[in-house]
Amino acid sequence: MHKILVATDKPFAKAASDQIRQVFQEAGYECVFLEKYTTQQEFIDAALDAEAIIIRSDKADSDVINKAGKLKIIVRAGAGYDNVDLKAATEKGVVVMNTPGQNSNAVAELAFGMMVYQARKQFNGSSGTELKDKTIGIHAYGNVGRHVARIAKGFDMKVLAYDPFVAADVIEKDGVKSVKTIEELYRSSQYVSLHIPANEKTKKSIGYALLSSMPENAMLVNTARKEVINEDDLQKVFQDRKDFTYVSDIEPDCLANLSEYKSRLYCTPKKMGAQTEEANINAGIAAAKQIIQFFEHNDVTFKVN
Ligand code: 3PG
């Protein structure tokens, strides 16, 4: 019997965990959950005899991978897999997958929740502004970016997108203006919504030049990763521009240095983008089914290493 570990520091909604359990039970697999654990050692211990692991933002580092002697596959129930040591996994012959698209609507909705909250002055009673007729620049037109475009059109925003990996006509067919350079995106968009992954190329790539070029009353919306922001530059932009606001689905490391800008900054205390029952069910069930397909049919469709 294959043993599956679901290791989620931030647990799935109960409905999702129940359904994941049921999918594995019907397939005749053993499934154990490790939730809200407090040390990495607990994760390592729980993974020792697992053949497959489902995680969220949990750190599948080389220790977990190398000590889990029976491990064949890790599925990140979500989009970003920057929390998995791909090199260690590949060296050990462990397949790593993600579940692209399964939680992207939830992330896009949160982006708008934060935008409205900040545009309405954090609901402090004073007059804010509306999103209607403002321009939003979508930085990376993947699964989340497409949902952001759809919702932005519902708000009657003008929508631009920049993505060097997506053909302009694919973007334009959604009624979104494709811009050719990252510089054009930032200098043309009062709102910029970030959807780039965190990797060696993108880390700290959003810096002073781009942010300071944004139009008046600029708002940067980060539901991607804090690592893509150059935080020294972020602090400098807050200092230099009294009209700059930042909303982020994760606290920046430099949060303590931004305490004087509280009225222009909102961060969720825990990453909340994918934290909906629907997204948990979609991503969790997709992960479970991918594992079963892998063991039963050697299907590696969503392999990322
Ligand atoms: C993702 O990459 O899928 C999102 O950042 C969601 O992460 P989470 O599953 O830890 O909430």
Side-chain angles (χ1 to χ4, degrees), residues 67-218:
K67 288 181 181 159
K70 298 180 175 170
L71 190 62
K72 306 277 183 310
I73 178 169
I74 298 170
V75 182
R76 194 284 191 237
Y81 44 86
D82 46 306
N83 50 326
V84 182
D85 188 331
L86 290 187
K87 190 167 169 278
T90 306
E91 277 169 11
K92 209 173 162 237
V94 171
V95 168
V96 180
M97 294 185 185
N98 65 349
T99 65
Q102 300 292 347
N103 59 19
S104 42
N105 182 66
V107 177
E109 286 191 13
L110 183 77
F112 283 89
M114 294 196 298
M115 282 160 70
V116 170
Y117 179 68
Q118 188 58 43
R120 294 303 183 95
K121 303 272 178 69
Q122 304 180 351
F123 303 151
N124 72 357
S126 62
S127 293
T129 53
E130 300 178 20
L131 301 185
K132 185 172 186 289
D133 296 331
K134 309 298 189 300
T135 300
I136 183 168
I138 300 174
H139 187 170
Y141 203 68
N143 289 310
V144 183
R146 280 161 224 238
H147 282 294
V148 168
R150 174 180 53 79
I151 300 169
K153 284 193 282 174
F155 274 95
D156 266 344
M157 298 183 87
K158 292 178 194 132
V159 191
L160 312 180
Y162 168 75
D163 192 325
F165 305 106
V166 180
D169 60 325
V170 172
I171 295 174
E172 306 251 334
K173 114 178 145 10
D174 289 347
V176 172
K177 184 171 185 261
S178 162
V179 299
K180 287 195 178 58
T181 65
I182 190 170
E183 288 80 13
E184 187 184 352
L185 187 84
Y186 281 72
R187 72 167 174 262
S188 313
S189 308
Q190 180 185 341
Y191 290 81
V192 169
S193 192
L194 281 171
H195 304 291
I196 50 176
N199 57 39
E200 287 322 306
K201 282 207 176 105
T202 61
K203 279 182 187 166
K204 294 193 181 197
S205 65
I206 310 303
Y208 192 82
L210 289 175
L211 297 178
S212 61
S213 77
M214 289 174 70
E216 211 181 345
N217 298 321

Side-chain angles (χ1 to χ4, degrees), residues 10 12 55-58 76-82 103 107 223-225 249 271-275 280:
K10 184 177 59 188
F12 289 123
I55 52 170
R56 296 185 63 181
S57 291
D58 308 80
R76 194 284 191 237
Y81 44 86
D82 46 306
N103 59 19
V107 177
T223 54
R225 291 288 183 273
D249 184 23
K271 190 141 69 92
M272 289 300 294
Q275 200 59 324
N280 291 172

